[in-house]
Amino acid sequence: MLNFILGVLLTCFTIAYPVLWLYGISPQSLIYFPYMLAVLWLVKAIIEQRVLFRCFFLGFSVFLLMSGLTKTLDSMYWYPVIINGLMLLIFASSLLTKQTIIERFARIKNPSIPVYAILYIRNVTKVWCLFFIINIGLSLSFIYIENYRAWAIYNGIISYVIMGILFIGEWLIRQYMIKRNENRK
């Protein structure tokens, strides 16, 4: 339950930061965001069982703490790049294993996944990798050209809309595939 609450809070703060920045919240108010995120990532590191993830969460907590201590918000522009980089690493590395990360999640709900679905799940994993690559590229581009308004709009709104479209689109395709394969039986 704590892990779920941490996930919700991290998601809310991650979405809120660029949106609040976009709407001109004073930098004095935003300076507390790195500290709040650092505490959440630290708690996540403490409860995490897997050593690699624990190290990442702890490192991320230190990064955010340093961002707060330096009193500069410039390093916070890298937050979406790092998050998307981590997700890309997790999803892409799972393509090198027998079961992708998405297949592992799917097997929690349904341990016996039909053979036809495994290739589909691999392709869904590739689509998410592409999504993370595009997110990284766009975030880096906005940082490089110093268009922080576009950075805030993309990272606080557009990327989450695209993510929602991917979730819904994938769910619709999956339902279609399930019905199509049931009709073949």
Side-chain angles (χ1 to χ4, degrees):
M1 183 65 168
L2 179 59
N3 213 6
F4 174 77
I5 293 169
L6 282 171
V8 169
L9 288 172
L10 283 166
T11 300
C12 290
F13 278 110
T14 300
I15 294 170
Y17 180 79
V19 171
L20 292 173
W21 185 95
L22 178 65
Y23 288 104
I25 300 299
S26 73
Q28 293 79 17
S29 299
L30 292 177
I31 204 72
Y32 297 107
F33 262 76
Y35 295 116
M36 291 183 284
L37 286 166
V39 168
L40 292 172
W41 283 108
L42 178 62
V43 173
K44 197 158 177 69
I46 291 168
I47 66 171
E48 179 58 49
Q49 300 296 316
R50 295 165 293 188
V51 175
L52 182 62
F53 285 95
R54 181 180 291 159
C55 290
F56 171 78
F57 299 155
L58 187 58
F60 208 50
S61 181
V62 170
F63 164 77
L64 290 161
L65 181 62
M66 295 308 291
S67 295
L69 291 174
T70 60
K71 303 268 190 246
T72 177
L73 296 174
D74 291 347
S75 58
M76 287 298 290
Y77 294 126
W78 293 93
Y79 186 75
V81 174
I82 294 169
I83 292 292
N84 281 282
L86 171 68
M87 297 303 289
L88 175 60
L89 180 67
I90 291 168
F91 278 63
S93 65
S94 79
L95 287 168
L96 304 174
T97 65
K98 186 177 177 186
Q99 292 181 354
T100 66
I101 188 79
I102 294 175
E103 184 179 342
R104 287 183 217 148
F105 286 135
R107 286 188 185 278
I108 292 169
K109 185 177 179 186
N110 181 9
S112 58
I113 295 177
V115 176
Y116 75 87
I118 294 174
L119 178 61
Y120 170 75
I121 291 171
R122 263 200 175 316
N123 288 331
V124 170
T125 304
K126 291 174 186 175
V127 168
W128 279 104
C129 287
L130 180 61
F131 170 75
F132 297 131
I133 290 168
I134 291 169
N135 271 357
I136 292 167
L138 287 171
S139 291
L140 286 173
S141 298
F142 296 137
I143 293 168
Y144 180 74
I145 63 173
E146 297 181 1
N147 187 341
Y148 301 119
R149 179 172 170 72
W151 172 90
I153 292 169
Y154 182 77
N155 287 296
I157 301 168
I158 295 172
S159 67
Y160 290 99
V161 169
I162 294 169
M163 197 181 303
I165 291 168
L166 278 174
F167 277 122
I168 292 167
E170 188 280 323
W171 183 84
L172 290 170
I173 292 168
R174 186 171 6 117
Q175 299 311 307
Y176 169 77
M177 286 186 63
I178 290 169
K179 284 185 182 181
R180 186 180 76 182
N181 283 292
E182 283 176 354
N183 291 336
R184 288 184 181 173
K185 292 179 182 179

